[in-house]
Amino acid sequence: MKLIALFAALAGLLTAGINVWDQTRPYEVTAYFMDADQLVPGNDVVMNGVPAGTVDTVTVAPEDSAAGVTVKLKIDPRFTPLRQGTRATIRPKGLLGTMYVELQPGNGRPIPRDGSIPLHDTAAPVTLDEVNDLFDPATRERLHVLTMEGGATFQGRGRDVNTLLTQLPALAKDAQDISAALATRDQALDQLQVEFDRVASMIAAEADALKRDLASGASLLDVLAAHEQKLQDELIYANQALAKLNAALSGHEQDLNTILKQFPSLLDDLKKFQTDSTTSLGILYPCVGDIMTTLAEMQDATKYQSSAGATDNKGNELRVDSPLGSQSVGAQHPLASCSGASAP
């Protein structure tokens, strides 16, 4: 039993020692890339914009590997352990700066020491030389000129460009958040599009009516244009008439005010006169014709002759009513009724 206990104690000590030794070893992982051009040992490893280690070695991958290059990364303890799904990308510092490895953390199980990041979780940049090789010599020459001119343009502005490039991830994240918000509003946007289509259909359906209204408006404008001079003359005349009226009333405002105040009582007097004169006018109206005839005959009385030859004391002939022609002159006779009056 003592021997077994001794072996167990030794095993525990050995395990603890191995754990301590394992904890003291640097945390290194191997990343497989298709290409690692210009990446050399000592280049930075960056995670979330913060230095997280260095490149230890860059070697050609084994022939049986689908990768072209293996890169051993030494990670600082505060960023360990990496997790499966971590993505490694080789990037330049600036347009033509030193290469570094950027790590984007994964959320899988921990990657042990001396573990690996598979080829499908890595990416390498395409160099300008590789891009130039795709073009013909003339195009490559133009690109060379543009590159030189671009270098002259950004000369002395490298720090500003690098600052801008470091801000691009944050800008991309903001754009991603906006895209996500828009994606959640797809249904509302679709409804708005349907409403826009409906409004457009209504406007299209009313196009003929709008054209007719516009044509009517154009015709009205043509008529106004044709009578513009006449309208202008009438407005000038109206202005002159109002000016004369204003001049005539100037200084008589109080009199006009007094007259306007007297209008109600005058209207009452006219109404009373109308009421009182209705009976008299009703009597006189049937005799208006006879009165007018009498006045006309009195104006030209000498043209008339009596059948009896009656004359006044001066020898002037006088006309008398025909019913009285056979009676003696000077006799009293009742007045004859008016021709327009009703019989009594």
Side-chain angles (χ1 to χ4, degrees), residues 221-298:
L221 292 176
D222 292 339
V223 173
L224 291 177
H227 295 79
E228 180 179 3
Q229 186 60 43
K230 184 177 180 180
L231 291 173
Q232 185 176 0
D233 294 341
E234 291 180 353
L235 290 175
I236 293 174
Y237 177 77
N239 183 46
Q240 294 174 351
L242 291 175
K244 291 180 180 179
L245 177 61
N246 184 47
L249 293 177
S250 179
H252 299 282
E253 292 83 357
Q254 186 62 39
D255 297 336
L256 180 61
N257 187 28
T258 302
I259 292 173
L260 291 176
K261 289 181 179 179
Q262 292 176 352
F263 270 168
S265 59
L266 177 60
L267 181 60
D268 292 338
D269 294 339
L270 290 175
K271 289 181 179 180
K272 183 177 180 182
F273 173 75
Q274 180 183 8
T275 302
D276 295 340
S277 62
T278 299
T279 303
S280 300
L281 292 176
I283 296 172
L284 293 176
Y285 180 74
C287 298
V288 170
D290 295 333
I291 293 173
M292 296 300 295
T293 301
T294 302
L295 292 175
E297 292 176 351
M298 289 175 64

Side-chain angles (χ1 to χ4, degrees), residues 155-169:
Q155 185 176 4
R157 303 296 300 275
R159 185 182 299 275
D160 297 335
V161 175
N162 289 335
T163 302
L164 176 62
L165 291 176
T166 57
Q167 293 175 351
L168 287 179

Side-chain angles (χ1 to χ4, degrees), residues 47-120:
M47 180 182 292
N48 295 328
V50 179
T54 58
V55 175
D56 189 27
T57 61
V58 179
T59 58
V60 178
E63 295 182 358
D64 58 350
S65 174
V69 179
T70 59
V71 178
K72 183 172 289 188
L73 306 176
K74 185 180 292 185
I75 308 301
D76 292 345
R78 57 195 178 118
F79 295 100
T80 62
L82 300 180
R83 295 185 175 274
Q84 293 180 355
T86 297
R87 185 166 182 80
T89 305
I90 299 175
R91 299 186 184 279
K93 290 184 178 180
L95 294 176
L96 301 174
T98 304
M99 294 295 181
Y100 69 97
V101 178
E102 181 185 38
L103 297 179
Q104 295 179 356
N107 54 7
R109 293 186 299 176
I111 300 175
R113 282 181 171 80
D114 300 325
S116 64
I117 299 176
L119 182 64
H120 62 264

Side-chain angles (χ1 to χ4, degrees), residues 5-24:
L6 180 60
F7 278 114
L10 291 174
L13 290 174
L14 180 61
T15 302
I18 292 174
N19 290 334
V20 171
W21 174 77
D22 187 65
Q23 292 295 327
T24 57

Side-chain angles (χ1 to χ4, degrees), residues 143-157:
L143 288 175
H144 176 71
V145 173
L146 290 175
T147 302
M148 296 301 294
E149 291 178 352
T153 301
F154 290 106
Q155 185 176 4
R157 303 296 300 275

